[in-house]
Amino acid sequence: MTADPGGGLHAGSHPRHGLDSLLNAPVRISVMAALMPLDKAEFGFVRDLVEVTDSLLSKQVAALEEVGYVEVHKGRVGRRPRTWIAVTADGRTAYQRHLAALRAIAGDWGQ
């Protein structure tokens, strides 16, 4: 925001406009952060790393999948069903843009 001579405020290019509202949720950004360095991860691994229940992780992954940030693949290892989660190219871009906006908001304090 910038102040005008008349005392009002004008919409400017504040870095907060680069934040992704979907990634403002702590569990969703934690899931994305966990997945970013990996090609894919098993559901249980992400659940344990992010320290949430199966139900909560399932809901948050579904929200990320709905917008195309992650892909979910189901299969089997031996006789046991498994679910893998992977970040998509759109998800990587959104996550990187969100982090850049957070760093810009934090300014020098984010270094």
Side-chain angles (χ1 to χ4, degrees), residues 14-91:
H14 191 277
R16 78 174 179 282
H17 299 295
L19 292 173
D20 186 316
S21 61
L22 191 72
L23 297 180
N24 281 334
V27 173
R28 288 191 292 259
I29 196 165
S30 296
V31 168
M32 293 295 288
L35 294 171
M36 286 298 287
L38 308 171
D39 290 331
K40 65 182 177 180
E42 199 271 322
F43 184 92
F45 172 80
V46 177
R47 177 201 58 218
D48 294 347
L49 187 63
V50 178
E51 300 177 350
V52 294
T53 64
D54 286 351
S55 175
L56 180 57
L57 180 58
S58 181
K59 289 176 187 175
Q60 300 307 311
V61 167
L64 293 167
E65 184 180 28
E66 186 176 315
V67 297
Y69 289 178
V70 300
E71 292 177 337
V72 176
H73 303 280
K74 295 185 181 276
R76 291 193 167 287
V77 174
R79 294 181 174 218
R80 302 195 69 166
R82 292 286 187 254
T83 301
W84 292 272
I85 311 163
V87 177
T88 64
D90 287 346

